[in-house]
Amino acid sequence: MRSYLFVPADSDRKLEKAPGAEADCLLIDLEDSVSYRRKAAGREMAAAFIRSQAENGERARIIVRVNALDSGLTGDDLDAVIASRPDGILLPKSEGGAHVQELDAMIAVREAEAGIAEGSVRIHALVSETAAGVLSARSYIDMSPRLEALAWGGEDLSADLGVETNRDMEGRYTDMFRLARSLTVLGAAAAKVMAVDTVYTDFRDMDGLERECRAAVRDGFSGKMAIHPAQVPVINRVFTPDANAVERSRKIVTLFAEAGDDAGVLSLEGQMIDRPHLRQAERILARAEAAGMSTS
Ligand code: COA
Ligand code: MG
C-alpha cells in the first residue's frame, strides 16, 4: 500500500470525500483529530462509514486509528468499530511489541464476540511518538501475526522530547527525528512488516511532499501517510515503482527461476546478479503488484 489518508472520524464532510481520494488506505481517526467531547460521535460515525463501504468492491482498505492504550479509551473505540469489520487498527504511541500483543488480545475478544474469523483485523503501529517508543523499535519481532506495518510520527515525539522544532534551517529533520525514522525502517524490516513514512504537514507544498516521498522510497518505506486528499496522487505516483525497474526485476526473477536452486551468481546485461539482487527484485515486484501494475 502506497498512500494512507487520515480522515477525522467525526467529520461527515471528510468521510464523504475520502472514498474519492484514491488512497490505497483510509485511516479513520479517533485519536488526535477528534476532540474528547466528540469521541463517542466519532466512534459511531466510523462504524457507519465502514459499513457503508462494505459493498464497494473497489474500496480502499480501511484502518481505524484508536486512542492510545494509556488513554483509557481504546476498549470503547474497539467495541464500537470491530463488528463493522475494518481491515485494521492503527495503534498510536506504541511503546513496543508488548503494546501490540495487548492490542492483539483486545481485538481477538471482540472478533470472537462479533463472529469474525480470528486474525482478520490487522494491526499497524505508530512506533516513534514517544522517546520510549523510539527506543523499542527492535521489540516488534514475532509479537503478533496481525502486525502488518510500522509507521513513524514526528509531531508527538517533538512534544515528548520538548524540542523547539524537529526540522533544521534547511528543512531537514534534525538528528533525533532522523534516528526515529531510521529505527522505524530497521524495526519494520526486522519484524518483516511494511514501513510507512510520516505525514507531510505543509499540505499545499507539493514539491516538498514529492521530495520527501522520493527520500522515503530510497530509504525503504513502502508508503506514506497523508492528511489531505491533494497529497494522495503525489504519494501514489512516487511510490509506484518505475516501469524500467519492474521490467528489470522481472528479468532477474526469471533468470534465477531458469537457473534452478543451485544458482548463486548470474549475470544480466553485463552486471553481476546474486541473491540480494533477487530479494530486491522480489520486493519491487511486490510493490508493483500492490500498486495494481501488471508484473507477469
Ligand atoms: N480527508 C477527506 N477530505 C478532506 C481531508 C481529509 N483528510 N482534508 C480535507 N478534505 C476535504 C475538505 O473537507 C474540503 O472539502 P469541501 O470543500 O467539500 O468541504 C476539501 O477536501 C478541501 O479541503 P481544504 O479546504 O483544502 O482543507 P481544510 O482547510 O478543509 O482542511 C485540514 C485542512 C488539515 C484540517 C484537513 O486536511 C484535515 O482534517 N486533515 C486530516 C487531519 C488529521 O486527521 N490529522 C491526524 C493525523 S496527523
Ligand atoms: Mg498524534
Side-chain angles (χ1 to χ4, degrees):
M1 284 180 289
R2 302 161 299 178
S3 49
Y4 299 74
L5 176 63
F6 271 113
V7 188
D10 68 334
S11 165
D12 271 326
R13 192 132 196 168
K14 289 171 190 162
L15 288 171
E16 197 180 311
K17 274 232 133 92
E22 309 244 307
D24 292 339
C25 181
L26 299 175
L27 298 173
I28 309 301
D29 188 26
L30 291 172
E31 199 217 12
D32 286 344
S33 70
V34 178
S35 71
Y36 193 78
R37 229 169 23 85
R38 297 276 298 160
K39 297 289 185 199
R43 287 177 188 129
E44 277 178 32
M45 291 165 75
F49 175 76
I50 302 165
R51 285 195 302 271
S52 77
Q53 294 299 302
E55 304 297 313
N56 176 359
E58 297 283 285
R59 73 168 175 83
R61 280 172 52 101
I62 301 177
I63 292 184
V64 177
R65 179 163 77 170
V66 293
N67 290 279
L69 291 177
D70 66 1
S71 68
L73 300 171
T74 325
D76 288 347
D77 293 342
L78 295 172
D79 282 342
V81 300
I82 293 292
S84 57
R85 301 174 181 244
D87 295 292
I89 298 294
L90 173 63
L91 179 67
K93 302 176 180 72
S94 179
E95 294 190 344
H99 277 194
V100 165
Q101 266 184 341
E102 192 178 333
L103 178 65
D104 181 313
M106 294 172 84
I107 294 173
V109 174
R110 288 156 179 94
E111 277 175 343
E113 283 167 358
I116 302 172
E118 177 165 2
S120 318
V121 180
R122 311 306 295 274
I123 295 178
H124 290 214
L126 270 161
V127 300
S128 75
E129 296 196 296
T130 63
V134 174
L135 295 172
S136 316
R138 189 194 178 288
S139 64
Y140 291 91
I141 301 169
D142 289 336
M143 282 310 211
S144 164
R146 295 179 195 275
L147 187 65
E148 201 169 65
L150 301 186
W152 80 285
E155 304 310 317
D156 285 277
L157 181 59
S158 300
D160 197 40
L161 297 174
V163 300
E164 284 180 344
T165 158
N166 55 28
R167 305 239 187 203
D168 66 15
M169 266 137 63
E170 282 79 49
R172 283 166 36 107
Y173 278 112
T174 56
D175 282 349
M176 270 182 298
F177 293 83
R178 298 177 66 76
L179 177 65
R181 175 179 180 278
S182 300
L183 282 171
T184 304
V185 181
L186 290 164
K192 299 194 167 42
V193 299
M194 296 180 284
V196 179
D197 195 22
T198 192
V199 296
Y200 188 72
T201 51
D202 189 353
F203 61 85
R204 307 263 183 244
D205 174 11
M206 295 302 153
D207 293 340
L209 172 64
E210 173 145 1
R211 273 196 301 278
E212 211 165 271
C213 290
R214 293 206 177 283
V217 170
R218 178 196 66 202
D219 292 342
F221 287 98
S222 57
K224 187 173 177 68
M225 301 187 293
I227 51 167
H228 192 284
Q231 295 182 316
V232 171
V234 177
I235 296 175
N236 283 349
R237 175 165 51 77
V238 180
F239 280 90
T240 302
D242 159 274
N244 293 328
V246 174
E247 174 65 25
R248 185 176 161 77
S249 300
R250 201 181 300 134
K251 281 187 189 159
I252 292 173
V253 169
T254 308
L255 208 61
F256 270 95
E258 286 170 359
D261 286 346
D262 293 337
V265 64
L266 299 166
S267 79
L268 177 66
E269 292 155 5
Q271 299 212 340
M272 182 196 82
I273 305 288
D274 59 8
R275 292 273 155 190
H277 294 101
L278 175 60
R279 273 197 74 194
Q280 191 70 7
E282 287 168 345
R283 285 182 83 124
I284 290 173
L285 292 181
R287 276 180 42 216
E289 221 158 279
M293 294 170 80
S294 149
T295 55
S296 53

